[in-house]
Amino acid sequence: MQWNKRLASLALMAVVAGSVWAAKVNYVVAGYGLKAYNGLMFKIRPMAMEEVPNLDSARVVNGRLTLRGTVDGPTLCTIYCADPKLNLRANIVLGDDSRTVVSASKGSLLVRGGSRQALFATYEQELAASGVPSREALNKKYAEYSDEKTTATRREALEKEIESDQQKQLSFDKNFVLAHCDNVVGAYYFARNYIYFSKEELQKLRSRMTDEFAMSPLAARPLESLKAAERREPGQKFTDFEMPDTTGTVRRLSDYVGQGKYTLVDFWGSWCGPCRAEMPNVRALYEKYHAMGFNVVGVSLDNRRESWLKAIHDMQLPWPQLSDLKAWNCAAANLYGISGIPCTLLIGPDGIIIAQNLRGEDLAARLSALFDKAE
């Protein structure tokens, strides 16, 4: 089921650095009616795809909270209570077009601000009116699906219902992003869904988006990753890179690719279970077709040399292996916009990418079509 992947993409949206696309603007956050939280520290942290320090903090005094500062243009953040026993947090846009007011009601933070802040309420209102099932309804289906007492027949029906509900939600979110790709709140909803945008939808988005959207921390990295992913599309000439091999010697991908042979570039990691499970199949195909003009080059997303070399030894992998030992900061993975492994590129003798993500029977069938008929 794809919903697990969707939930994982939401979890990835941690808090990060402010944007750099605009001149600095002042912000004022005023909290009222917070007597229940007297003496507690509230913090503000900018939002995006990786964690950085808090931007601002202050304690509640006599039911009031005041935070002042500057940001580089409208900046989407999280305001939260530092007491770990309280799950008290909310989205907040700093540097919006008016003062931001924070209050509390029934254990939740309420935020009122400018036009960008109001878009969070607009999203919820339009979502409710759209006919998309509520989060509560979807969570009930998740719970029923996971219940051991649920029959196989009912679970199959639930899977179809959940998939349909997710597609409705995704369609709504994409339309909302396209309608609001001129601000940081639109970037927030884009970051939650960017891996599901088609090439055509991305082209439409790029033609409409403003600098505020494109250069916000929530959108900049996903847009860069999606642009990089275009480099691995079939029909593209492979993009060269340099990386050390197992001896520490710096090699180029072009040392192995575009040399008149078919080459499988296999992005993997010693810690990746699915990667290791696929290796016996790749090794069998390598042994079958290597003499006929088939090569493999491994690119590892490891960060420990010992683990990488041990995995190569234990699995008896005879083909060249490259790694800069930077895990998900691997230069080659970033170059090709790879956000999950295993991931493969099958490249032709002329250096043109033929296919991506071929594994198992699909890889065997493609190689058979290339080599067995040529015999």
Side-chain angles (χ1 to χ4, degrees):
M1 293 179 63
Q2 293 184 344
W3 60 269
N4 287 324
K5 185 177 181 182
R6 176 175 173 79
L7 291 178
S9 72
L10 299 184
L12 282 174
M13 208 165 56
V15 286
V16 167
S19 61
V20 296
W21 57 270
K24 289 186 179 296
V25 293
N26 297 326
Y27 68 83
V28 177
V29 178
Y32 299 96
L34 302 174
K35 287 185 178 180
Y37 309 105
N38 274 344
L40 294 181
M41 179 73 74
F42 278 73
K43 299 182 178 183
I44 292 179
R45 187 178 298 173
M47 238 188 240
M49 308 298 284
E50 60 187 37
E51 193 169 357
V52 296
N54 293 305
L55 175 68
D56 204 349
S57 62
R59 293 188 183 277
V60 177
V61 179
N62 295 326
R64 295 196 172 191
L65 179 70
T66 303
L67 300 107
R68 300 173 183 271
T70 59
V71 285
D72 296 320
T75 303
L76 182 57
C77 302
T78 298
I79 183 170
Y80 67 101
C81 179
D83 188 335
K85 294 178 291 186
L86 297 176
N87 184 22
L88 200 61
R89 62 181 54 234
N91 296 335
I92 186 170
V93 182
L94 302 182
D96 205 351
D97 48 18
S98 75
R99 187 178 70 156
T100 304
V101 177
V102 177
S103 59
S105 176
K106 299 180 180 178
S108 297
L109 285 183
L110 306 177
V111 181
R112 290 182 289 114
S115 58
R116 294 172 181 81
Q117 187 70 47
L119 283 176
F120 289 110
T122 299
Y123 174 90
E124 296 297 339
Q125 292 163 3
E126 293 182 359
L127 181 64
S130 71
V132 175
S134 67
R135 292 185 184 89
E136 292 75 13
L138 192 55
N139 286 337
K140 286 182 180 179
K141 292 181 181 181
Y142 289 152
E144 185 180 357
Y145 182 90
S146 302
D147 192 332
E148 294 180 355
K149 298 178 182 178
T150 301
T151 65
T153 300
R154 175 57 179 158
R155 186 172 283 112
E156 183 177 353
L158 281 169
E159 185 170 345
K160 292 180 180 178
E161 290 179 20
I162 291 172
E163 180 68 22
S164 175
D165 292 347
Q166 288 180 329
Q167 289 304 314
K168 292 176 183 177
Q169 175 77 61
L170 184 57
S171 177
F172 175 86
D173 284 356
K174 286 180 177 181
N175 288 331
F176 191 87
V177 170
L178 289 170
H180 300 284
C181 57
D182 60 346
N183 62 76
V184 293
V185 178
Y188 168 81
Y189 290 105
F190 174 66
R192 290 161 49 118
N193 297 281
Y194 76 93
I195 62 174
Y196 303 108
F197 273 67
S198 68
K199 185 175 181 179
E200 293 73 21
E201 289 166 336
L202 284 170
Q203 288 175 341
K204 185 182 293 186
L205 177 65
R206 288 182 177 125
S207 70
R208 298 181 182 180
M209 65 187 184
T210 63
D211 284 350
E212 179 178 335
F213 179 97
M215 299 181 70
S216 71
L218 281 172
R221 286 185 61 181
L223 286 169
E224 181 182 350
S225 177
L226 291 168
K227 184 67 176 177
E230 295 176 2
R231 296 191 180 103
R232 65 174 192 266
E233 290 184 355
Q236 296 290 320
K237 179 82 172 181
F238 83 94
T239 303
D240 207 1
F241 61 82
E242 293 183 340
M243 194 161 288
D245 65 12
T246 54
T247 70
T249 302
V250 175
R251 304 288 187 182
R252 299 186 66 87
L253 183 61
S254 55
D255 292 341
Y256 312 103
V257 173
Q259 301 294 326
K261 296 183 178 181
Y262 290 93
T263 305
L264 185 75
V265 182
D266 183 18
F267 292 85
W268 69 290
S270 67
W271 45 267
C272 170
C275 301
R276 298 185 70 131
E278 175 66 10
M279 287 306 181
N281 176 60
V282 177
R283 189 175 66 241
L285 293 171
Y286 177 83
E287 292 170 352
K288 181 176 182 179
Y289 295 116
H290 179 58
M292 301 170 65
F294 175 58
N295 278 335
V296 179
V297 178
V299 181
S300 171
L301 275 67
D302 274 276
N303 61 1
R304 294 181 60 226
R305 179 176 176 80
E306 297 78 10
S307 299
W308 175 43
L309 297 180
K310 184 176 187 302
I312 294 170
H313 177 268
D314 290 350
M315 293 187 290
Q316 300 179 30
L317 306 181
W319 51 82
Q321 295 287 344
L322 308 174
S323 182
D324 56 13
L325 299 175
K326 293 182 179 180
W328 285 110
N329 287 320
C330 170
N334 291 335
L335 179 68
Y336 282 98
I338 291 170
S339 58
I341 54 174
C343 180
T344 62
L345 302 177
L346 181 60
I347 303 176
D350 55 359
I352 301 298
I353 297 173
I354 298 173
Q356 60 176 315
N357 288 328
L358 290 178
R359 294 189 290 276
E361 294 180 357
D362 292 335
L363 177 59
R366 179 59 68 93
L367 294 180
S368 176
L370 292 171
F371 292 109
D372 292 338
K373 292 181 180 180
E375 288 184 310

